[in-house]
Amino acid sequence: MSIAEERPGDEHVRRVHVRAPGKVNLFLGVGDLDEDGYHELSTVFQAVSLYEDVVATPADDFTIAVSGVADPDAVPLDDRNLAMRAAKVLAAATGYDGGVHLDVRKSVPVAGGMGGGSADAAAALVACNALWRTGVDHNRLHELAARLGADVPFALMGGTAVGSGRGDVLTPALSRGRYEWVLVLDDEGLSTPSVYRAFDMVMAEDLQADPAGHAQRRSADPVQVPPSFFEALLSGDAFALGQSLRNQLQAGSFRLRPQLEELIDRVRDSVAVAGGIVSGSGPTVAFLCESATGADAVAERLREQGRTALRAHGPVRGAHVVSTES
């Protein structure tokens, strides 16, 4: 039903505000390229307290506005935008023939490897489901989320979870405690496809230069999450988890942006830092710290050096309704 078709006396939801978190990949194992052009992934996500806010209001068509970004051109306002696509996917799945206006307020870095676009999509699914009263349950929302991208289902779930397949098959992970993060942004984003291509190039070069050594190195650094990682996560010990952080994909990020490796090497051994890793495809670098006070100090030192450093903690809940107005 469109706005023009509303009947007098009908009570409709007029505004829905949904919040969804960004993420850090605590572990990211990347398999070889398969025949379909995809990599098998084994990852552990943690949702962190940098949020995307999406406000949905009724409209006859599908429109979107974005705020909170330094470069407005960095975020498309058409069907390339995951939030817009999410709304249309839900409408098609439920037979809803109206539209929506989405007001997206971004706090997660754009093209930073923290799943900001995926959080927008998850928030849009939840917001439109509530606005349109389509009654889609969580399992069905998860299925629709998986159509939009591998990280979107996790933005719905939140917390800490293991992702397998292409990253969208999720299992909640047992964890203990609150983890304190310092997230260091880069001036320019990285395209996820370009990072995977760079990763493939690094692997191919290593294989060609030393086939036997390449096989040994890949065997010693398995794609699957090792049991020791889950032990560290369950311990609640930031230092133990920090020493277990792993991102095989960051080999591609380092190829495209060598200064990321230099930053990790320089900061990782600082007092109060338990470990450092590129978040997803990057270029955001995530440093896990041993305490909130230590994380505040690390962030301040980085800012004094001219870096953009944000504070966050995890795990936090997934996409959820903050408020509704009728």
Side-chain angles (χ1 to χ4, degrees):
M1 178 185 293
S2 68
I3 292 175
E5 295 171 326
E6 290 180 8
R7 296 184 298 272
D10 281 356
E11 182 180 352
H12 289 273
V13 178
R14 297 293 179 180
R15 182 181 185 275
V16 179
H17 174 196
V18 172
R19 177 167 290 166
K23 57 82 179 173
V24 172
N25 295 82
L26 308 180
F27 184 98
L28 180 53
V30 183
D32 295 329
L33 195 66
D34 65 22
E35 295 178 354
D36 295 329
Y38 289 91
H39 298 81
E40 179 190 359
L41 299 179
S42 181
T43 188
V44 180
F45 298 105
Q46 183 166 100
V48 297
S49 59
L50 290 184
Y51 297 103
E52 303 283 269
D53 288 279
V54 173
V55 174
T57 52
D60 285 332
D61 203 353
F62 291 84
T63 60
I64 190 167
V66 177
S67 60
V69 292
D71 179 9
D73 294 333
V75 181
L77 301 179
D78 53 22
D79 284 349
R80 293 172 295 166
N81 187 292
L82 274 178
M84 178 77 86
R85 287 166 54 193
K88 291 185 176 182
V89 163
L90 180 64
T94 58
Y96 182 77
D97 61 0
V100 68
H101 176 72
L102 300 175
D103 183 7
V104 180
R105 304 168 190 172
K106 298 190 69 64
S107 297
V108 178
V110 176
M114 293 191 65
S118 297
D120 295 340
L125 286 173
V126 173
C128 291
N129 193 37
L131 183 74
W132 298 337
R133 296 183 176 181
T134 40
V136 177
D137 65 24
H138 181 79
N139 290 337
R140 179 60 173 153
L141 281 181
H142 183 101
E143 292 174 4
L144 297 176
R147 295 184 193 176
L148 296 161
D151 291 345
V152 182
F154 177 70
L156 276 177
M157 174 182 284
T160 305
V162 180
S164 57
R166 293 173 182 172
D168 59 336
V169 180
L170 299 176
T171 305
L174 294 175
S175 64
R176 181 177 299 162
R178 165 171 156 157
Y179 294 96
E180 303 292 339
W181 295 94
V182 174
L183 305 163
V184 185
L185 312 190
D186 207 66
D187 292 335
E188 185 178 355
L190 278 174
S191 155
T192 298
S194 69
V195 174
Y196 273 98
R197 286 193 295 270
F199 172 83
D200 291 335
M201 186 179 299
V202 171
M203 293 297 104
E205 291 173 356
D206 188 54
L207 175 61
Q208 184 175 13
D210 182 10
H214 174 81
Q216 291 176 352
R217 283 185 286 275
R218 289 293 273 171
S219 177
D221 187 18
V223 173
Q224 300 302 317
V225 186
S228 59
F229 181 91
F230 294 111
E231 293 170 3
L233 187 60
L234 190 56
S235 74
D237 184 325
F239 184 78
L241 182 60
Q243 298 304 297
S244 299
L245 298 176
R246 186 77 181 100
N247 181 358
Q248 294 178 349
L249 185 60
Q250 70 185 14
S253 305
F254 293 161
R255 170 62 63 89
L256 297 175
R257 204 78 53 90
Q259 59 267 35
L260 299 179
E261 185 172 18
E262 296 168 3
L263 174 65
I264 290 175
D265 289 342
R266 178 166 56 84
V267 178
R268 184 167 48 196
D269 295 330
S270 302
V271 174
V273 175
I277 195 171
V278 172
S279 178
S281 58
T284 302
V285 174
F287 292 104
L288 179 60
C289 297
E290 296 183 10
S291 66
T293 301
D296 290 341
V298 170
E300 185 58 33
R301 286 199 302 270
L302 286 163
R303 293 179 192 128
E304 291 172 354
Q305 296 166 13
R307 306 301 303 240
T308 301
L310 306 179
R311 279 280 288 110
H313 65 269
V316 298
R317 66 189 296 194
H320 60 280
V321 175
V322 176
S323 65
T324 62
E325 296 177 11
S326 299

